[in-house]
Amino acid sequence: MHTDSKFLAGLAVWALATSMAVPAMAALSADEAKALGQTLTAIGADKSASKDGTIPAYTGGLTTPPAGFKAGDGIRPDPFAAEKPRLSIDGKNLAQHAAQLTEGTKALLQKYPSMRVDVYPTHRSVAFPKWVGDNTAKNAVRAKTGNDGRSIDGAHAGFPFPIPKNGYEAMWNHLVRFNGSAYESRYRNLTVDASGRVTLATEGISNQEYPYWDNARPTADTYWKIKLTYTGPARRAGEALMIIDPLDIGTKERRAWTYLPGQRRVKVAPDLAHDTPNPGTAGGNTFDDIFLFNGSMDRFDFKLVGKKEMIVPYNAYAAVYGAKQDDLLKPSHLNPDLVRWELHRVWVVEATLREGKRHVYAKRTFYLDEDSWAAVASDEYDARGQLYRAGFAYMAPSYDLPAPYTDMFGHYDLVARNYSLTGFIAETGGLKHSKPLPEREWTADALAGAGIR
């Protein structure tokens, strides 16, 4: 077969570009993994305090419930309720603290005079069962990514990449983050328009499971499952939705179904992904905005920027478990009196839209909490490079399990001047950790049965 020099040169350029695009697949060496449990926590966070001591050393997290907590209850009292802010940031003193604020936070402070960030003493309250750390150590030397970063292999019941080498590995830690293996909540998703009017987008029952974290099973090919049964508003009552995400999402893709009572049939729903507007939030965010990022990583290139000290929502028990809806949702933004912010170290990951791919966001920045790997904030930019949306997740660890919890989150639309809040549970019984549902409950037939009015 004839090949000329131009073809070979072009092939070399393509090969170089391809090798640069594909993230490193090698697991950690045994020497690299030795830092876990020594200078690093069992899941890869820095154990030490910050230089000025504002961020304390990690001492194991919060594992003793405060007075007032009832075992088995879904509402978790605020263990830090008596504390006062150590500083407050608004538009007037924004410049003094700008280096430790996300672009979205700065935009909100600049746009709304009533917006305020109350910064409280930092508590590294996230804790895990011992077996999570034990399995993370095993995963560290065997876990690998595949399919251009979109799949993982060799990991189970522990964080796959406690010392990440690229953005894909860091984002996988977020995707499979530990919330417990199964939990249930009755939730509300709410939107606030530019005039300050609050609207119920959806409410219902949420069942979520992370088979990846079932320590009794030697392997699992699924990392996340969710079943939503809508009970309101009236026009949506009886609808249901189910999503199942595999670890090998690079080849198997997401499986999703919806049940519409008017049609009395279950439909496969492959469009419940990426930048499809999420009807559960009345279009206030996209499907891959869920938990600030969710689903496949095939649309973006993910770059690990590094670790920074940032002021983010944290230990937000007052907002997640103690707030009344009318007190929390105010015009333009959540009530600053009810949102607790703290200074924490976060991993910064930048996601840039790949050439040839489409998405409403051209660039995204994610801020992953070092102690839990959960995304606690995000910035989303449109095709013009303009900051479009700002996302925040409200960390409130379940000290009784123990496990982090960041499933109440929201997005501010900085162009339309509205915002959404997903997973409000304070008035509907809170969050209850539960046993996994039988496998028969994760079928299309079961979805139809659950959704009948």
Side-chain angles (χ1 to χ4, degrees), residues 257-280:
W257 301 265
T258 58
Y259 174 76
L260 301 175
Q263 299 179 9
R264 295 196 176 278
R265 58 180 293 196
V266 175
K267 301 177 68 174
V268 176
D271 57 341
L272 300 186
H274 299 114
D275 61 348
T276 299
N278 184 356

Side-chain angles (χ1 to χ4, degrees), residues 48-69:
S48 62
S50 59
K51 290 182 179 180
D52 65 359
T54 307
I55 300 173
Y58 185 77
T59 57
L62 179 63
T63 57
T64 302
F69 174 70

Side-chain angles (χ1 to χ4, degrees), residues 273-277 288 298-300 353-362:
H274 299 114
D275 61 348
T276 299
D288 64 4
D298 63 313
R299 300 281 176 100
F300 294 86
L353 188 63
R354 289 187 172 186
E355 186 175 354
K357 298 288 187 178
R358 64 163 302 278
H359 200 285
V360 294
Y361 304 141

Side-chain angles (χ1 to χ4, degrees), residues 262-346:
Q263 299 179 9
R264 295 196 176 278
R265 58 180 293 196
V266 175
K267 301 177 68 174
V268 176
D271 57 341
L272 300 186
H274 299 114
D275 61 348
T276 299
N278 184 356
T281 60
N285 55 27
T286 65
F287 268 98
D288 64 4
D289 275 329
I290 296 171
F291 312 134
L292 303 192
F293 184 76
N294 173 264
S296 176
M297 290 187 275
D298 63 313
R299 300 281 176 100
F300 294 86
D301 289 317
F302 291 84
K303 176 185 177 183
L304 187 62
V305 177
K307 194 178 286 189
K308 292 184 65 176
E309 295 181 6
M310 302 290 286
I311 295 169
V312 293
Y314 217 97
N315 290 313
Y317 293 94
V320 175
Y321 290 113
K324 300 295 184 184
Q325 176 182 311
D326 292 344
D327 292 336
L328 181 61
L329 282 83
K330 296 299 182 182
S332 304
H333 51 75
L334 296 182
N335 186 345
D337 295 338
L338 297 175
V339 181
R340 179 185 178 111
W341 301 70
E342 296 180 3
L343 181 68
H344 283 263
R345 286 184 292 243
V346 299

Side-chain angles (χ1 to χ4, degrees), residues 119-404:
V119 185
Y120 288 78
T122 297
H123 293 281
R124 299 179 69 176
S125 53
V126 168
F128 298 94
K130 182 178 181 300
W131 58 264
V132 170
D134 293 342
N135 289 337
T136 297
K138 297 174 184 176
N139 291 341
V141 295
R142 67 188 182 192
K144 298 180 181 180
T145 60
N147 294 304
D148 204 16
R150 296 175 61 200
S151 304
I152 58 173
D153 182 55
H156 176 62
F159 286 92
F161 307 107
I163 307 175
K165 295 184 177 181
N166 57 60
Y168 295 86
E169 292 182 351
M171 294 305 294
W172 265 114
N173 289 336
H174 161 71
L175 288 172
V176 304
R177 68 201 176 281
F178 181 74
N179 288 329
S181 59
Y183 49 101
E184 179 178 306
S185 64
R186 294 178 179 269
Y187 71 95
R188 296 177 193 156
N189 292 350
L190 303 144
T191 61
V192 181
D193 67 17
S195 70
R197 182 169 61 97
V198 179
T199 301
L200 176 66
T202 53
E203 65 180 343
I205 302 169
S206 170
N207 288 100
Q208 294 189 59
E209 295 182 14
Y210 285 82
Y212 174 88
W213 289 102
D214 187 345
N215 197 34
R217 302 170 77 182
T219 58
D221 61 3
T222 299
Y223 76 85
W224 178 63
K225 301 191 289 189
I226 185 170
K227 180 190 288 188
L228 301 177
T229 304
Y230 298 127
T231 58
R235 61 183 174 80
R236 301 206 62 183
E239 293 183 23
L241 174 152
M242 186 164 65
I243 294 174
I244 299 176
D245 276 352
L247 287 167
D248 188 12
I249 201 168
T251 56
K252 294 182 179 179
E253 300 296 344
R254 162 175 285 179
R255 291 180 290 157
W257 301 265
T258 58
Y259 174 76
L260 301 175
Q263 299 179 9
R264 295 196 176 278
R265 58 180 293 196
V266 175
K267 301 177 68 174
V268 176
D271 57 341
L272 300 186
H274 299 114
D275 61 348
T276 299
N278 184 356
T281 60
N285 55 27
T286 65
F287 268 98
D288 64 4
D289 275 329
I290 296 171
F291 312 134
L292 303 192
F293 184 76
N294 173 264
S296 176
M297 290 187 275
D298 63 313
R299 300 281 176 100
F300 294 86
D301 289 317
F302 291 84
K303 176 185 177 183
L304 187 62
V305 177
K307 194 178 286 189
K308 292 184 65 176
E309 295 181 6
M310 302 290 286
I311 295 169
V312 293
Y314 217 97
N315 290 313
Y317 293 94
V320 175
Y321 290 113
K324 300 295 184 184
Q325 176 182 311
D326 292 344
D327 292 336
L328 181 61
L329 282 83
K330 296 299 182 182
S332 304
H333 51 75
L334 296 182
N335 186 345
D337 295 338
L338 297 175
V339 181
R340 179 185 178 111
W341 301 70
E342 296 180 3
L343 181 68
H344 283 263
R345 286 184 292 243
V346 299
W347 287 99
V348 181
V349 178
E350 288 184 354
T352 305
L353 188 63
R354 289 187 172 186
E355 186 175 354
K357 298 288 187 178
R358 64 163 302 278
H359 200 285
V360 294
Y361 304 141
K363 178 185 173 183
R364 309 163 87 163
T365 305
F366 300 101
Y367 305 87
L368 313 182
D369 169 40
E370 71 164 343
D371 286 332
S372 67
W373 286 109
V376 288
S378 64
D379 300 320
E380 286 79 28
Y381 298 83
D382 61 21
R384 300 169 294 175
Q386 179 178 345
L387 186 60
Y388 176 15
R389 286 176 176 151
F392 300 96
Y394 300 93
M395 170 72 76
S398 298
Y399 34 67
D400 48 310
L401 186 57

